[in-house]
């Protein structure tokens, strides 16, 4: 036993399922369904933690009914490795018995101590949890258990029901080694559950037992030789009805008891099946009057004729025939087309109707008193509404949407129209200071759209006498059963009130939306179609709905506030504009996730020599912590870029930084209950417009899309590199030569990733969207947003598009020099001629001084070969390169020093200067602003005038 297929056992099937494989064929459907539910709940086989509940009812009716049965089971399995458990309807174990009492000393607490909850949502697939979920007898063998710790056991479990209500009161479970599995155990546990159910029936009230006995007496006197046991409890066994069918029948039976009529209805069941419910008034010898509901399944090719009369008093009515499709009294809208057909002979003198036709099976569904049944129906409908509200209200963290869910929940089951007014502060996510002022009509919802309520979106100024402001002031719901007599409501706007009354709106409940002691607004429930006014029960129900909705609205408000704060923080940390440069034309987009803000960032950083750096990154996680970490990494990346590190070196420094942050803050964050820095991804690109070379490296980030001028799109193969923060592995670069007009598309994984998106499909969408090289980057961004960005982004998206330009060759001048100081004058002359060709006569003097110092330093301290390069871009850039890796340092020379003033002069003449290292040495560069260069000679002359003669 326990095999789930011809060639595969439960252990291998389970491993295949956990790896995401297909196992539908070899695994029993209840087990597979339970595995899938367990995974959807976030459970893992080694992490199914069972909660412990100390609030057990160890002397309740279930325990009293089950104790003698548990005693007999313990005696029956004496000396055997058998664990007998009784759990309540929540899955909490109430009692445990052992065939071999010595087992207790060797078992873990969860297998021997009452109180642990084995519901499927906590323990995964197991006997008790699966019996509650499937509501029937089940068996679980070995590796069919979801939790690792349970896979050495097998079990059989069965629900224990209240025979009158059909409600599951608990679960009886037998646990044993898989080798002891025996089909006879199913018979044993079914018999034991039946014995407990009979004892539960014995505990029913005297009135219920009296009604039941009167029914059984009437059935025993029924004519026509009913010898099949029809009409007795369990008479429908083997009929093919499952727990869902029973639930439908019992709900309809409760309605029939409340209607207190002799009736028969045909109830549709799933799968096109139909079954007839007979409603029979009975009276006990002591005078207790009630109604018995019996289910009848006609024999094949047989139609059951039924009789319907009004009145609850027993006794033979006159025979009457109803035409088909006549709804019976008490019909519930939405429960299906219950229909009455034909007629049968009247009941005998005892008040019981005649026996079902030959071959038909019948069985008791429910028994009760009409008055109690009426309250039971109303209570059940309210409970159903509240239960549904708990799942339908608060599905999003949007304040307006949550308020609308409350209105949709209440119409039409409680009210015909609902209006909800919230202060503007709540809609912004703030806490209202005065909820009675600044109200805005947030929701108007009803059975019709033409009712003249104040429209949604408008400000609503209410008088203190209105029910809405009265309920806010008192913190309690206000019931106005007759709006025609509600002077405070009418005084708000008599003409408006008259129009509402003309639409037959006659009753109102105003409920304050209170959460954690804060008034967030009001909800108004109006009735028009039902002529009966709202009552106290309706007021209590509206208050409960309002309270549940208020909690959800407050959660949404708090989230809105935090989301707004984080979004503002992140926006302040992202670049507001890009510096001017000629290397690339750029456009960007940043789209936060729909429900949370992450740590995506992007940047454009001008570098020396007209080069530019493009960077995108993504911090793992969401919220304030991720946004703050993003800001720190972006600042660090800019600082490292200023040092002219290559892409691989910059990523190495960022990796070290993330590792230090994680180590320094991880312990503190864990103690505070907040997540530490897990890591980040990054893509860093450097483009040089003088050589058209693009060098890039990535740390766990998607590669960019490269769009060439011919329209071809490639995703270049880059060394992947580990995400930032892992450490230990080096980063590698890749270099490409790009034609002028190429486009680089950098993005974060939110653009192409997602739980419900196919990665390859998203890449193809991106490829198609960017394959238009002639479009400006701004239009490319728009195209990508339209074609690739999902409608409801689950993750942040950063997008950066850059179209490359080339510095014209006639704006670049280069001279190679030998290491001879005598040649410096020749360089000055050549530079003067070049500047004259460029029309830069004003910068000649400053450039001669600057280059003289740089070339002299290179000759004196550097290593050949030496090269001088001038770049005419937005500024004039002077570069002197040599093969040495030693860098000069700026210092203040003393008045007695003969040297040390060259770099100080360079710093005075240039608006920026620095050193960058290359694979063959270094480059000393200086950048002069063209429009300010004319003033530099005066500054230099003044500087030399202040130097004493040596």
């Amino acid at each position: 036993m326990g095999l789930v297929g011809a060639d595969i056992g439960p252990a291998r099937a389970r491993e295949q399922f956990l790896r995401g494989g297909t196992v539908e064929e070899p695994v029993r459907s209840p087990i597979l369904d339970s595995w899938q539910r367990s995974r959807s709940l976030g459970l893992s086989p080694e992490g199914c933690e069972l909660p412990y509940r100390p609030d057990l009812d160890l002397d309740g009716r279930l325990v009293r009914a089950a104790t003698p049965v548990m005693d007999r089971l313990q005696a029956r399995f004496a000396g055997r490795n058998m664990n007998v458990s009784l759990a309540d309807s929540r899955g909490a174990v109430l009692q445990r018995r052992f065939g071999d009492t010595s087992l207790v000393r060797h078992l873990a607490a969860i297998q021997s101590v009452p109180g642990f909850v084995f519901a499927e949502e906590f323990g995964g697939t197991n006997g008790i949890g699966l019996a509650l979920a499937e509501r029937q007898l089940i068996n679980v063998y070995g590796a069919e258990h979801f939790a690792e710790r349970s896979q050495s056991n097998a079990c059989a479990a069965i629900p224990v029901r209240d025979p009158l209500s059909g409600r599951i009161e608990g679960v009886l479970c037998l646990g044993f080694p898989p080798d002891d599995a025996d089909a006879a155990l199913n018979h044993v546990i079914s018999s034991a559950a039946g014995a407990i159910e009979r004892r539960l029936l014995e505990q029913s009230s005297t009135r219920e037992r009296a009604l039941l006995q009167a029914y059984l007496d009437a059935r025993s006197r029924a004519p026509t030789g009913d010898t099949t046991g029809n009409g007795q409890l369990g008479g429908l066994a083997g009929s093919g009805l499952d727990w869902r069918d029973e639930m439908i029948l019992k709900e309809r039976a409760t309605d029939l008891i409340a209607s207190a009529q002799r009736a028969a209805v045909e109830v549709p069941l799933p799968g096109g099946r139909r079954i007839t419910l007979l409603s029979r008034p009975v009276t006990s010898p002591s005078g207790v009057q009630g109604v018995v509901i019996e289910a009848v399944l006609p024999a094949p090719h047989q139609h059951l004729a039924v009789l319907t009369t009004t009145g609850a008093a027993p006794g033979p009515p006159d025979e009457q025939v109803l035409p088909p499709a006549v709804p019976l009294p008490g019909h519930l809208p939405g429960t299906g087309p219950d229909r009455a057909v034909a007629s049968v002979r009247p009941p005998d003198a005892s008040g019981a109707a005649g026996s079902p036709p030959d071959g038909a099976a019948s069985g008791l569904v429910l028994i009760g008193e009409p008055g109690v049944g009426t309250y039971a129906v109303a209570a059940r409908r309210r409970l159903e509404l509240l239960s549904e509200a708990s799942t339908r209200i608060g599905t999003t963290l949007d304040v307006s949407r949550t308020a609308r869910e409350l209105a949709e929940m209440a119409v039409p089951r409680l009210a015909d129209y609902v209006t909800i007014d919230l202060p503007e502060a709540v809609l912004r996510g703030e806490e209202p200071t005065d909820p009675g002022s600044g109200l805005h009509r947030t929701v108007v919802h009803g059975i019709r759209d033409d009712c003249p309520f104040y429209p949604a979106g408008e400000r609503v100024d209410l008088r203190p006498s209105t029910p809405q402001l009265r309920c806010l002031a008192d913190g309690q719901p206000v019931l106005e059963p007759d709006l025609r007599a509600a002077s405070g409501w009418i005084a708000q706007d008599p003409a408006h009130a008259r129009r509402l009354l003309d639409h037959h709106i006659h009753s109102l409940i105003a409920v304050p939306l209170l959460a954690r002691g804060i008034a967030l607004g009001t909800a108004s429930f109006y009735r028009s179609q039902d002529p009966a006014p709202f009552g106290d029960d309706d007021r209590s129900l509206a208050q409960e709905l309002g309270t549940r909705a208020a909690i959800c609205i407050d959660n949404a408000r708090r989230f809105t506030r935090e989301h707004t704060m984080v979004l503002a923080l992140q926006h302040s940390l992202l670049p507001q504009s890009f510096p001017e440069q000629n290397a690339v034309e750029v456009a960007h987009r940043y789209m936060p996730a729909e429900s949370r803000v992450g740590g995506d960032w992007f940047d454009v950083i001008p570098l020396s020599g007209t080069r530019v750096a493009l960077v995108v990154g993504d911090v793992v996680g969401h919220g304030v912590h991720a946004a703050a970490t993003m800001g720190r990494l972006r600042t660090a990346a800019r600082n490292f870029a200023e040092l002219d590190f290559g892409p691989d070196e910059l990523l190495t420094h960022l990796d070290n930084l993330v590792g230090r942050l994680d180590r320094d803050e991880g312990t503190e964050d864990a103690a505070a209950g907040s997540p530490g820095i897990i890591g980040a991804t990054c893509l860093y690109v450097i483009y040089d417009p003088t050589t058209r070379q693009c060098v890039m490296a990535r740390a766990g980030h998607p590669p960019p899309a490269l769009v060439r001028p011919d329209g071809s799109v490639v995703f270049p193969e880059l060394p992947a590199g580990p995400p930032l923060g892992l450490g230990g592995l080096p980063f590698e670069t890749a270099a490409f030569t790009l034609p002028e007009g190429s486009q680089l598309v950098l993005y974060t994984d939110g653009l192409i990733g997602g739980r419900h998106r196919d990665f390859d499909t998203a890449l193809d969408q991106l490829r198609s969207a960017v394959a238009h090289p002639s479009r400006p980057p701004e239009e490319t961004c728009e195209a990508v947003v339209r074609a690739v960005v999902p409608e409801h982004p689950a993750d942040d998206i950063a997008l950066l598009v850059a179209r490359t330009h080339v510095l014209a060759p006639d704006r670049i001048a280069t001279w190679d020099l030998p290491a001879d100081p005598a040649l410096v004058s020749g360089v000055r002359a050549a530079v003067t001629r070049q500047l004259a060709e460029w029309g830069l006569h004003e910068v000649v003097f400053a450039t001669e001084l600057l280059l003289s110092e740089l070339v002299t330093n290179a000759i004196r301290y550097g290593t050949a070969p030496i090269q001088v390069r001038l770049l005419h871009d937005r500024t004039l850039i002077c570069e002197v390169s040599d093969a040495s890796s030693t860098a000069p340092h700026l210092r203040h020379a003393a008045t007695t020093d003969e040297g040390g003033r060259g770099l100080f002069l360079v710093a005075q003449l240039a608006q920026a200067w620095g050193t960058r290292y290359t694979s063959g040495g270094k480059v000393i560069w200086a950048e002069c602003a063209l429009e300010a260069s004319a003033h530099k000679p005066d500054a230099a002359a003044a500087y030399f005038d202040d130097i004493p003669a040596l």
Side-chain angles (χ1 to χ4, degrees), residues 590-665:
Y590 171 75
M591 289 146 285
E594 188 174 61
S595 59
R596 51 188 182 171
V597 177
D600 293 17
W601 91 91
F602 56 91
D603 213 343
V604 176
I605 309 171
L607 303 177
S608 63
T610 71
R611 298 170 306 137
V612 66
L614 309 173
V615 57
V616 291
D618 183 2
V619 175
V620 175
H622 297 85
V624 175
H625 190 272
T629 303
M630 175 273 289
R632 298 162 83 174
L633 291 184
R634 176 176 174 253
T635 301
R638 291 190 69 90
N639 291 336
F640 293 144
E642 290 290 337
L643 298 176
D644 260 323
F645 288 134
D648 53 342
E649 294 178 287
L650 183 138
L651 292 181
T652 299
H653 286 290
L654 285 180
D655 180 57
N656 293 334
L657 173 63
V658 173
R660 287 195 300 272
L661 291 175
D662 202 6
R663 289 191 300 270
D664 295 343
E665 300 181 3

Side-chain angles (χ1 to χ4, degrees), residues 772-786:
H772 301 276
S774 59
R775 276 192 314 215
E778 190 67 31
E779 294 183 12
T780 300
C781 283
E782 287 295 328
V784 172
V785 170
R786 289 194 304 268

Side-chain angles (χ1 to χ4, degrees), residues 21 32 80 249 304 475 625 645 715 720 743 825 841 871 933 944:
L32 181 57
R80 293 181 58 180
L249 293 176
L304 181 65
H625 190 272
F645 288 134
F715 295 90
Q743 287 196 3
S825 59
H841 302 284
L871 303 176
S933 295
F944 283 111

Side-chain angles (χ1 to χ4, degrees), residues 29 59 191 367 396 919:
S29 59
D59 195 31
S191 300
I367 187 169
T396 68
S919 58

Side-chain angles (χ1 to χ4, degrees), residues 815-828:
W815 297 272
D816 294 319
L817 299 178
D820 185 356
L823 299 178
V824 174
S825 59
V827 172
R828 287 201 299 266

Side-chain angles (χ1 to χ4, degrees), residues 511-547:
V511 176
L513 300 176
L514 301 174
R516 303 178 181 92
I518 303 172
L520 303 174
T522 66
S524 301
F525 302 84
Y526 295 90
R527 179 169 284 179
S528 63
Q529 285 193 326
D530 190 341
F534 284 124
D536 289 335
D537 289 341
D538 299 311
R539 176 170 53 187
S540 299
L541 178 58
Q543 182 179 19
E544 181 67 24
L545 282 175
T547 299

Side-chain angles (χ1 to χ4, degrees), residues 195-367:
I196 297 174
E197 290 173 350
R198 288 192 294 273
R199 291 181 58 81
L200 285 172
L201 183 61
E202 293 172 4
Q203 297 179 21
S204 300
S205 69
T206 303
R207 299 173 67 88
E208 291 171 330
R209 291 202 304 272
L211 289 173
L212 178 61
Q213 189 59 49
Y215 162 74
L216 295 176
D217 291 344
R219 291 294 295 158
S220 67
R221 296 192 300 272
T224 69
D226 179 12
T227 61
T228 63
N230 288 346
Q232 304 300 316
L233 291 173
L236 296 179
S239 62
L241 298 179
D242 60 18
W243 65 270
R244 299 175 184 83
D245 302 329
E246 294 177 10
M247 184 172 62
I248 294 172
L249 293 176
K250 285 167 182 172
E251 289 181 358
R252 192 67 183 93
T254 306
D255 300 330
L256 290 175
I257 292 175
S259 68
Q261 294 179 343
R262 184 187 306 279
V265 295
E266 196 172 58
V267 181
L269 298 176
R273 297 166 298 146
R274 309 182 80 83
I275 194 169
T276 301
L277 292 183
L278 299 179
S279 172
R280 304 174 183 231
V282 294
T283 303
S284 72
S286 61
V288 178
Q289 295 186 350
V291 180
V292 170
I293 309 298
E294 197 175 6
V296 179
L297 275 77
H301 312 295
Q302 190 173 38
H303 298 281
L304 181 65
V306 299
L307 175 72
T308 301
T309 65
T310 60
D318 296 332
E319 227 178 279
Q320 46 185 303
V321 178
L322 296 179
V326 177
L328 290 170
H331 171 70
L332 275 178
T335 58
D338 303 334
R339 301 173 183 272
V341 293
S343 71
V344 296
R345 58 182 175 274
D348 58 17
S350 68
S355 301
D358 293 339
S362 66
L364 176 64
V365 177
L366 212 58
I367 187 169

